[in-house]
Amino acid sequence: MTTVLRTERMLYGGDYNPEQWPEEVWAEDMALFRQARINSVTLNVFSWATLQPAEDEYDFTRLDRIVKTVSEAGLSIVMATSTAALPAWMSLRYPDVNRVDVQGRRMRHGGRHNACISSPTYRRYSAALAERLAERYSAEPGIVAWHVSNEYGGFCWCDNCAAGFRDWLRARYGTIDAVNDAWNAAFWSHTYHSFDEIFPPGELGDALGEKSVLPGFSLDYRRFYGAAVLESFREEKAAIRRFDAERPVTTNLMGTFPDYDYFDWGDDLDIVSWDSYPAHDTTPAQICLAHDLMRAVGHQKPFMLMEQTPSRQNWQPYNSLKRPGQMRQQSWQAVARGADTIQFFQLRQSRAGCEKFHGAVIGTDGTAETRTFREVAELGAELARTSPRIMGSQVEHGAVAVVFDWQSRWGIGLSAGPSRSLDYVREVERWYTELHRRNIPVDVVPATGPFDGYAAVIAPCLYMMGDETAGALRRYVAGGGRLLLTPMSGLVDEYDRLHLGQAPVPLRDLAGVWVEETDALPPSTVVPLAFGEDGDGGGGATATILCDVVHPDAGTEVLARYAGEYYAGTPALTFKPSGEGGGVFYSASFPDADGVRLTVDALLSGTGVRAADLPEGVELSRRVAGDGRVLTFLINTTAVPQEVRVDVSGTELLASASFDGATTLEPYGVAVVETAP
Ligand code: GLA
Ligand code: ZN
C-alpha cells in the first residue's frame, strides 16, 4: 500500500468526460490542456452503462481510445471505477439494485448515486467492474491513483437492507434482549421478541421527518448503512489490488457531509480526497474547517482536492462566479491546509444534462479566451513551478484541537428537542471561526483523540460520551490540558441513552459544575452575558439558543454570569482547575461572537498560544517539509488589498523574490514564503 502520489508536481486537472464529445474535440482538449498546464485527468467516473452494455458483455474500446489519447498527451490519470451510477439494464433485470426511499418507494432507473448498498447484484457487479478495469489498465504508466465510485451518499430502506441490518444487530448485540435494552425499546411498545420483527426506521416506521421515535434505533441504522458502504468500497479496492498492489486508492469525500462517519474511513483510504464547493456565502473559516476535517480523516497527512469548480456551480440557489483571483486564492488556501493536488470539476463543460450550467475549464466556446481559462492557466504555471517545493510537506501540528464527532451530530439531529435552532456543525463553526480569525493553527480531531500536544481542546456539543471518549478527555486534562465544554455535552452513551446523574455525568467531577436545567431561547431572543469579576467585562456579549442553568462546585471559578432571565447572576462560564495549568471550562450557553472571543481569551490565557497580528480576512498557516523548510502561506480572502507585516523571512515562491516580512497582498492575493531550516 502506498499513501503518496508518485508525481513530481502536484496533479493539476480534474474530471474529464470525453465520452460526452466526438473524438475531434479530444484533440482540441489536449492542446488546451497543454496551454493551461493541466497535467492530469480523472477519467471514467460515470461510464458503467457503456463499459458493460449487457450483463455478460464488457466493452472497453472507447475507454482504451481515451486512455491512449490522454497518455500520448503526457497526462497522468486518476482512474475511476464508474460504479456510482447504475446501467438501466441492471435496474430492470435486477430491481434489488434500486434503492427504496425513506417513504418505502422502490426507485426505477435514473439519477446517480442510486444503488442499494446491500444489493448482492450491485456488490457483485461493482467489484467485477473494478477488477476488469484494474486488469486492463494497471499496466498503464500514466495511472497515478484509483477513484472508487463517486461521492458516496444516501441510504436505502429495502428488505435486503433490513436483512443486512438484522445481521449487523446480531453481531453487535448477540441477543434481542440486548437490542431492546440498548434502544430502551419499552418506550411506546417497541419491545422486540425476535430480530425478524425489526425493519429499517424509515417513514413507514420510526422516522419523524429528520427526528426519530427511537434515536438509538435510527443511529444504529446509520451505523449499519455506513459500514455497508465502507464494505462495498473495500470490495472494489480489493478487486483493484488483485492487479495493482501499488497505487493509492481513494474515493472523493465531501467535507462535513452528514451521512457517514468519515473517521471510519481513514484507515481504508490510501489518501483522502475531497470535493470543495463553497457557495457565495460560505465563509473562509467554514472552508478551512472542511479542509482541516478532511486532513484529520487522513490522520493529518496531505490530501487531494479532487474537485472544485473553476468558476461556478449549478446546483446552488445562487451560483455566483468566483471573483477574479478567487479560484487561485481558494486553491492556495486548500494547499495551505494540506492539499497536494488541485483538481477541478470539470475540464470541459457538458453540452446538455443538469450540469450544463456548471463551470468548466473549457466552456462551450471551446477556446482559451475566457477569464476562467486564463486564471486556470496562470495557476497551472504557478503550480508547475512551485509545487515540487511544497508536496509532501505536513501542515504544522495544531496549537488547539477542535473535536468533530459525527456520532454526536447524528444523536443530536435525531433527537426531538431541546431546540430546532441547534445545529451541530454551526456549533463547531462557532468556535473554529474564532480560532481561524486569530490564525491559530487548529487540528480537527475525533472524539477519542489523540489530544497530545494541544494547549487546548474545544469539544462543542460533545453529546455522546462513551467510556473511550470520556477516558481520553480525562487523560488529556490530567496531563495539564485545557478542555472547553458547551451545552449538550456528555449527555448520552453510545446507544443514545441519557447518562443518569448530574450532567455532564462522565466528566462531572472534572467539570466542576452540574447542569440542573436547560432553557431554549426562541428565535432572535438572547440573554446578556456579564464577563469578569465585576460583571462589566461583557462588552455586549450575549447567550444564544440554549442556556444551561448550572451549579459550580467549591473551587470552580466563575468567569461570566447571565445578566438576564430568571437565572440572572448564575454562572455562564466556569473554570475548574486541575492538573498543571489545565482544567475544564464550561460554557453554559452558545455565546455570540463577542462571547466566544472572551471565552477563547480565557481558555488560552497563560498557554502562550497567541493570535497572529494580521488584518481581518488575511490567513496565515504553515506547512513543514521533511528537510525542515517551513512554508508560510499568507492568503488574502478579501476583495481589497491588505497590508501585511509578519515575523517571517525567506523567499516568496510565487514571485521568486526575497521576503522580509512586509508585503501588500492584492485582492485575493497569496504569498508563499519558504524559510530555510
Ligand atoms: C460533485 C460530483 C461531480 C459533479 C459536481 C458538480 O462533486 O462529484 O460529479 O456533479 O459535484 O458540482
Ligand atoms: Zn437496500
Side-chain angles (χ1 to χ4, degrees):
M1 169 184 115
T2 172
T3 56
V4 290
L5 290 161
R6 304 207 172 160
T7 59
E8 215 178 292
R9 303 202 147 66
M10 280 189 190
L11 291 186
Y12 190 59
D15 282 30
Y16 180 47
N17 300 307
E19 60 277 2
Q20 294 177 19
W21 294 93
E23 298 197 16
E24 310 83 83
V25 176
W26 303 0
E28 284 171 29
D29 290 338
M30 297 308 113
L32 287 165
F33 292 168
R34 206 168 314 117
Q35 216 175 317
R37 309 300 289 263
I38 281 170
N39 61 24
S40 78
V41 289
T42 303
L43 295 179
N44 201 41
V45 182
F46 292 107
S47 301
W48 199 347
T50 42
L51 296 175
Q52 192 178 1
E55 183 162 10
D56 42 17
E57 195 186 326
Y58 287 88
D59 179 359
F60 295 99
T61 48
R62 193 181 55 194
L63 186 56
D64 287 348
R65 288 201 301 279
I66 294 171
V67 167
K68 183 162 182 287
T69 304
V70 303
S71 299
E72 283 172 4
L75 297 162
S76 297
I77 299 168
V78 175
M79 184 62 95
T81 62
S82 264
T83 53
L86 298 163
W89 64 259
M90 198 182 288
S91 293
L92 271 175
R93 183 169 311 163
Y94 300 105
D96 68 287
V97 299
N98 303 318
R99 284 185 187 173
V100 167
D101 77 358
V102 69
Q103 298 180 325
R105 301 174 304 178
R106 173 77 70 182
M107 301 286 112
R108 292 215 176 90
H109 177 260
R112 64 171 179 177
H113 306 150
N114 47 5
C116 162
I117 210 65
S118 308
S119 153
T121 316
Y122 174 75
R123 297 286 276 268
R124 181 166 78 249
Y125 282 121
S126 56
L129 181 57
E131 178 160 346
R132 280 173 189 256
L133 287 162
E135 179 180 24
R136 192 168 189 94
Y137 298 109
S138 57
E140 276 299 324
I143 293 186
V144 287
W146 294 93
H147 174 307
V148 171
S149 190
N150 189 69
E151 292 193 337
Y152 282 114
F155 302 92
C156 174
W157 313 85
C158 76
D159 289 345
N160 277 334
C161 285
F165 183 41
R166 290 179 200 124
D167 290 344
W168 185 90
L169 290 171
R170 277 191 200 93
R172 178 171 167 92
Y173 294 104
T175 66
I176 195 68
D177 288 343
V179 175
N180 286 323
D181 181 47
W183 296 350
N184 196 32
F187 183 77
W188 289 3
S189 192
H190 276 60
T191 304
Y192 296 105
H193 299 284
S194 119
F195 284 94
D196 294 334
E197 294 174 1
I198 298 173
F199 288 85
E203 286 183 17
L204 300 179
D206 278 325
L208 300 170
E210 302 274 290
K211 306 296 177 187
S212 172
V213 171
L214 280 189
F217 177 12
S218 298
L219 259 175
D220 272 347
Y221 195 68
R222 287 193 165 214
R223 291 168 173 153
F224 147 73
Y225 201 88
V229 174
L230 179 53
E231 207 43 56
S232 177
F233 169 85
R234 285 182 184 142
E235 285 167 10
E236 286 198 41
K237 180 173 173 180
I240 292 168
R241 283 282 171 260
R242 286 196 267 284
F243 293 93
D244 185 342
E246 275 290 303
R247 284 126 161 168
V249 180
T250 188
T251 185
N252 44 350
L253 309 182
M254 292 177 278
T256 59
F257 183 70
D259 291 2
Y260 315 133
D261 186 339
Y262 283 153
F263 284 123
D264 291 342
W265 291 67
D267 293 337
D268 289 279
L269 298 172
D270 296 326
I271 182 166
V272 164
S273 69
W274 89 279
D275 303 343
S276 178
Y277 286 102
H280 69 97
D281 55 353
T282 308
T283 64
Q286 289 172 314
I287 300 172
C288 289
L289 169 62
H291 287 309
D292 290 353
L293 175 61
M294 294 292 87
R295 192 176 73 248
V297 168
H299 306 294
Q300 309 297 346
K301 292 192 303 268
F303 56 86
M304 300 170 77
L305 184 70
M306 186 66 89
E307 293 180 27
Q308 65 171 347
T309 177
S311 55
R312 64 172 184 176
Q313 280 95 254
N314 69 301
W315 44 268
Q316 285 173 352
Y318 304 99
N319 295 286
S320 310
L321 287 167
K322 295 186 179 179
R323 316 329 274 180
Q326 199 174 17
M327 181 281 287
R328 171 181 184 251
Q329 176 258 296
Q330 288 179 349
S331 300
W332 280 112
Q333 183 180 45
V335 173
R337 304 272 156 179
D340 259 3
T341 73
I342 296 294
Q343 294 159 276
F344 299 103
F345 181 89
Q346 59 180 334
L347 298 187
R348 184 181 270 269
Q349 188 178 340
S350 296
R351 185 168 185 192
C354 69
E355 290 184 333
K356 68 177 182 293
F357 290 137
H358 199 288
V361 173
I362 304 169
T364 42
D365 59 304
T367 74
E369 288 166 29
T370 61
R371 173 175 74 87
T372 296
F373 188 93
R374 274 196 304 280
E375 291 192 28
V376 168
E378 280 161 23
L379 179 60
E382 198 165 78
L383 286 170
R385 228 172 358 92
T386 58
S387 65
R389 307 202 62 79
I390 300 167
M391 281 187 74
S393 59
Q394 303 289 311
V395 172
E396 73 172 317
H397 191 276
V400 176
V402 173
V403 175
F404 191 99
D405 182 36
W406 267 275
Q407 304 288 325
S408 289
R409 174 193 195 172
W410 294 343
I412 289 172
L414 290 165
S415 299
S419 167
R420 68 183 297 173
S421 299
L422 179 55
D423 176 328
Y424 178 81
V425 176
R426 295 288 97 78
E427 289 312 319
V428 175
E429 286 168 0
R430 185 188 297 278
W431 300 96
Y432 182 93
T433 298
E434 176 60 19
L435 300 169
H436 173 268
R437 196 181 67 78
R438 297 180 190 214
N439 281 298
I440 290 169
V442 174
D443 288 340
V444 174
V445 293
T448 49
F451 301 120
D452 322 292
Y454 299 111
V457 172
I458 302 181
C461 299
L462 194 53
Y463 166 78
M464 193 171 291
M465 250 184 227
D467 294 342
E468 203 189 339
T469 298
L473 291 169
R474 283 184 163 282
R475 281 192 300 282
Y476 170 69
V477 173
R482 295 159 84 84
L483 170 67
L484 174 71
L485 300 173
T486 74
M488 301 300 289
S489 290
L491 292 185
V492 302
D493 63 16
E494 52 267 57
Y495 311 105
D496 200 64
R497 297 179 303 199
L498 291 165
H499 288 301
L500 301 181
Q502 295 178 327
V505 177
L507 300 180
R508 164 68 186 89
D509 52 332
L510 284 184
V513 283
W514 69 279
V515 182
E516 184 188 349
E517 51 189 1
T518 299
D519 193 21
L521 305 179
S524 28
T525 307
V526 296
V527 175
L529 290 172
F531 279 77
E533 297 253 309
D534 314 326
D536 54 3
T542 58
T544 69
I545 304 177
L546 290 181
C547 295
D548 286 342
V549 181
V550 305
H551 299 280
D553 296 342
T556 296
E557 299 165 21
V558 177
L559 306 178
R561 295 177 189 275
Y562 293 112
E565 268 310 327
Y566 74 89
Y567 33 87
T570 70
L573 175 64
T574 61
F575 175 53
K576 166 80 187 296
S578 63
E580 303 223 345
V584 176
F585 291 78
Y586 194 87
S587 173
S589 78
F590 301 144
D592 68 352
D594 288 333
V596 166
R597 187 166 38 77
L598 292 162
T599 304
V600 170
D601 282 346
L603 177 67
L604 298 183
S605 105
T607 62
V609 177
R610 246 173 239 102
D613 187 15
L614 287 164
E616 197 84 27
V618 175
E619 294 175 353
L620 181 153
S621 53
R622 293 181 203 86
R623 289 178 67 161
V624 183
D627 57 10
R629 283 174 304 115
V630 176
L631 298 149
T632 304
F633 298 82
L634 291 163
I635 296 180
N636 179 6
T637 64
T638 74
V640 295
Q642 300 283 358
E643 300 292 328
V644 170
R645 188 166 282 284
V646 286
D647 190 15
V648 177
S649 59
T651 307
E652 201 287 306
L653 297 179
L654 307 185
S656 307
S658 79
F659 183 90
D660 64 3
T663 188
T664 303
L665 293 173
E666 294 305 307
Y668 302 114
V670 178
V672 182
V673 184
E674 182 183 69
T675 306

